[in-house]
Amino acid sequence: MNSYDQPGFPGNGLSPAWGSQHPAHPAPPPGPVLTPHDWGFICGLLAAKTPQELAARPFVPTAARLRQGEQALLTAPAQRHTWKPTSAPQYRRHNLSARGSVGYVLAAHAVNEGINAINKSRAQAKAQGRWITESAGTLTVTTHGMHYLHPENWATVNWTSSQMCDLPAPDLYEVHIHNGQAGKRIGLRLRTIWAPLLFAMTAFAAHPGHPRLHDRSWVPPHVAHLYPEVPAELAALAATRGRHGQP
């Protein structure tokens, strides 16, 4: 058994975490937070030196469709948030037809272009987007990535397929990937107490130079004093990987 593990398996029976929220919305009621037991479990996963060590962990049942060699590490409730524009840009260019002297026509067109530029800027400002809650589903964290299960908007993200990742809040994991079919970039957030684990595994696999990984700001403050050697070792391994490739 990994020295960071404790009897019992964390993550079962949790309700969705609501600990933090996008600033544009009022703060929701507080929800579950990462416990010292949960943090010990995360450190146990991150302390694994080889894929074989992760694969040797206890069997975890999941409804996610696993690929060859993929093994579930934990399952838990989660919320999915997706970036949506609040409105489509409503901009219509106004064309001017002016007659008169050359100076007058040039001045009229210059004023018209200025008005068009102002209207376009206002339309773009109105089209600013925001993160919206799409659904509440089930999260499965595996040796290869994560699966979010929901009848309408499920998602699968490999640790190495991330184009960008972040941890906007201790319970909020953000990742951007390319849609393999359409080729478009998709951004999603998952609200879960396991967000630090999702971030650390994504950053180590795809973004070894990520600032949060190296200044250890991904570690929840209330458990930062527990097992400090694990975040430090992860940052050191990531630095080695960033300079010389795989450690």
Side-chain angles (χ1 to χ4, degrees), residues 136-237:
T138 302
L139 170 71
T140 296
V141 180
T142 77
T143 51
H144 290 51
M146 71 90 183
H147 302 270
Y148 174 77
L149 304 182
H150 185 272
E152 294 184 350
N153 45 39
W154 51 270
T156 294
V157 177
N158 297 328
W159 302 131
T160 56
S161 65
S162 166
Q163 301 297 312
M164 185 184 80
C165 70
D166 203 358
L167 193 72
D171 66 342
L172 198 58
Y173 165 73
E174 180 176 334
V175 65
H176 294 253
I177 59 175
H178 281 298
N179 185 326
Q181 296 178 346
K184 295 182 179 179
R185 185 165 172 168
I186 298 175
L188 65 88
R189 285 180 172 180
L190 292 179
R191 189 174 297 282
T192 167
I193 65 168
W194 303 106
L197 174 64
L198 296 174
F199 170 80
M201 297 190 81
T202 306
F204 181 76
H207 312 280
H210 200 294
R212 286 193 187 276
L213 198 60
H214 294 278
D215 65 15
R216 306 176 204 172
S217 60
W218 62 274
V219 179
H222 68 287
V223 294
H225 63 289
L226 302 173
Y227 316 119
E229 69 280 4
V230 174
E233 184 175 278
L234 188 67
L237 288 172

Side-chain angles (χ1 to χ4, degrees), residues 42-133:
I42 288 178
C43 287
L45 295 178
L46 297 179
K49 301 297 189 300
T50 65
Q52 289 75 21
E53 287 183 87
L54 279 181
R57 300 187 66 85
F59 171 76
V60 176
T62 175
R65 181 177 180 178
L66 303 183
R67 294 150 291 188
Q68 183 68 31
E70 185 175 20
Q71 180 174 328
L73 301 174
L74 68 87
T75 61
Q79 274 191 331
R80 172 171 171 161
H81 300 243
T82 304
W83 181 259
K84 298 286 187 181
T86 54
S87 63
Q90 300 293 323
Y91 166 69
R92 179 176 296 177
R93 178 180 174 82
H94 180 260
N95 294 316
L96 176 69
S97 177
R99 295 181 179 180
S101 65
V102 174
Y104 172 79
V105 171
L106 292 176
H109 279 287
V111 171
N112 185 63
E113 288 303 314
I115 294 175
N116 281 329
I118 293 174
N119 290 338
K120 183 177 181 180
S121 177
R122 288 175 177 174
Q124 290 175 338
K126 290 180 181 179
Q128 294 298 318
R130 64 186 177 92
W131 291 97
I132 65 168
T133 303

Side-chain angles (χ1 to χ4, degrees), residues 10-30:
N12 294 329
L14 294 176
S15 58
W18 297 78
S20 63
Q21 184 74 16
H22 190 273
H25 301 279

